[in-house]
Amino acid sequence: MASSAHPSFPSRSYGGNLGKLPDRSLGAFGASTSQQQRENQRLERERERLEKERLEREEQNQLTEEQREEIKEAFMLFDLDKDQKIDYHELKVAMKALGFDLPKSEILSILQTNGSPSEPSNPNAPYQSRLLLPFAQFQTVMSQKILARDPREEIMRAFELFDEGDKGKINLQDLRRVARELGEGLEEDELVAMIDEFDLDGDGAINREEFLGICLQ
């Protein structure tokens, strides 16, 4: 009579492998996470760049057409090699022409923050790189400075254009000269009437305080 006992099979241990993912799955997961982080960082940088450009456009839109043209003319005048970039010395005189006589440390800070390194014209020759400020960055910097300026400073700059010889007053002779330079065909009695109207202390001239009052009315 044949035995009814089932043949025995060799035992196999599964416990050690249960719940364990292959190493390549973990590696792929880590790579995917790292890639996502890089993409998020790229998108954040792009968002910051677009926001910065938007703010710069808003600042420039707050300037008058005359102020924007002054910025452009100052840059073009001192961009001696016409490469749409200016170096330290060119930046210093361009800013001074716009009424900003800054110390060396501030000008260097502007270049370090907004400038880019120059490139050698001859790669085989000895060369020392210097920082250059492109026109777009110059526009942004000058827009910010003009908007932050006290309006009284602008008025005093205009006063100095009238006040020949730094007398502290604008007299009839000053008005004649400025009218002639601007091509304004004003009659003598019109110039006298201008002095009389705004000369509050009766000294026959317009001082700084009186000039401020005229411009801030």
Side-chain angles (χ1 to χ4, degrees):
M1 182 177 177
S3 173
S4 60
H6 294 288
S8 61
F9 293 95
S11 63
R12 181 178 298 175
S13 173
Y14 294 97
N17 292 325
L18 287 177
K20 183 177 179 181
L21 293 172
D23 289 344
R24 61 178 178 273
S25 298
L26 290 174
F29 177 77
S32 175
T33 302
S34 177
Q35 184 178 0
Q36 184 61 45
Q37 289 174 342
R38 287 196 298 271
E39 180 64 13
N40 289 341
Q41 290 169 355
R42 187 191 68 78
L43 291 173
E44 180 63 20
R45 288 193 300 269
E46 181 67 12
R47 187 193 65 78
E48 290 174 355
R49 183 185 67 80
L50 293 173
E51 179 65 12
K52 182 181 177 183
E53 289 180 355
R54 184 186 68 79
L55 292 174
E56 289 172 356
R57 285 195 301 271
E58 285 184 359
E59 286 172 344
Q60 291 179 25
N61 288 338
Q62 293 177 50
L63 299 178
T64 65
E65 185 61 34
E66 183 181 358
Q67 288 171 325
R68 286 195 289 268
E69 191 61 29
E70 284 179 356
I71 292 173
K72 182 179 178 181
E73 287 178 0
F75 185 93
M76 293 176 66
L77 180 62
F78 297 106
D79 177 19
L80 301 180
D81 52 6
K82 306 303 177 189
D83 63 350
Q84 291 293 296
K85 296 177 182 178
I86 53 178
D87 62 14
Y88 167 83
H89 299 288
E90 294 166 336
L91 175 59
K92 182 176 178 65
V93 291
M95 294 188 73
K96 189 169 184 179
L98 291 169
F100 298 93
D101 192 6
L102 301 184
K104 181 177 181 178
S105 59
E106 287 190 43
I107 296 174
L108 289 175
S109 177
I110 289 171
L111 282 169
Q112 288 163 358
T113 304
N114 303 279
S116 55
S118 60
E119 297 180 359
S121 55
N122 182 0
N124 298 319
Y127 180 75
Q128 184 174 2
S129 178
R130 58 201 174 107
L131 289 172
L132 300 175
L133 190 69
F135 175 64
Q137 279 66 40
F138 179 78
Q139 257 187 328
T140 298
V141 169
M142 296 316 304
S143 297
Q144 292 169 348
K145 291 204 166 291
I146 288 172
L147 292 172
R149 183 160 53 190
D150 186 342
R152 292 171 179 264
E153 292 181 21
E154 289 278 276
I155 294 170
M156 286 298 98
R157 282 182 65 206
F159 181 88
E160 290 166 5
L161 296 177
F162 281 87
D163 177 20
E164 189 174 44
D166 196 23
K167 306 178 298 299
K169 294 182 179 182
I170 300 170
N171 57 27
L172 185 58
Q173 183 179 347
D174 292 323
L175 285 184
R176 284 197 204 102
R177 173 182 55 81
V178 172
R180 185 173 61 251
E181 290 173 355
L182 296 177
E184 297 287 343
L186 296 174
E187 299 294 334
E188 185 76 6
D189 58 346
E190 292 179 286
L191 297 174
V192 171
M194 290 171 67
I195 294 285
D196 290 342
E197 181 179 357
F198 299 108
D199 175 22
L200 301 180
D201 57 9
D203 64 351
I206 300 172
N207 60 34
R208 287 185 173 85
E209 289 71 25
E210 291 165 344
F211 191 79
L212 271 171
I214 295 168
C215 297
L216 293 175
Q217 281 181 352

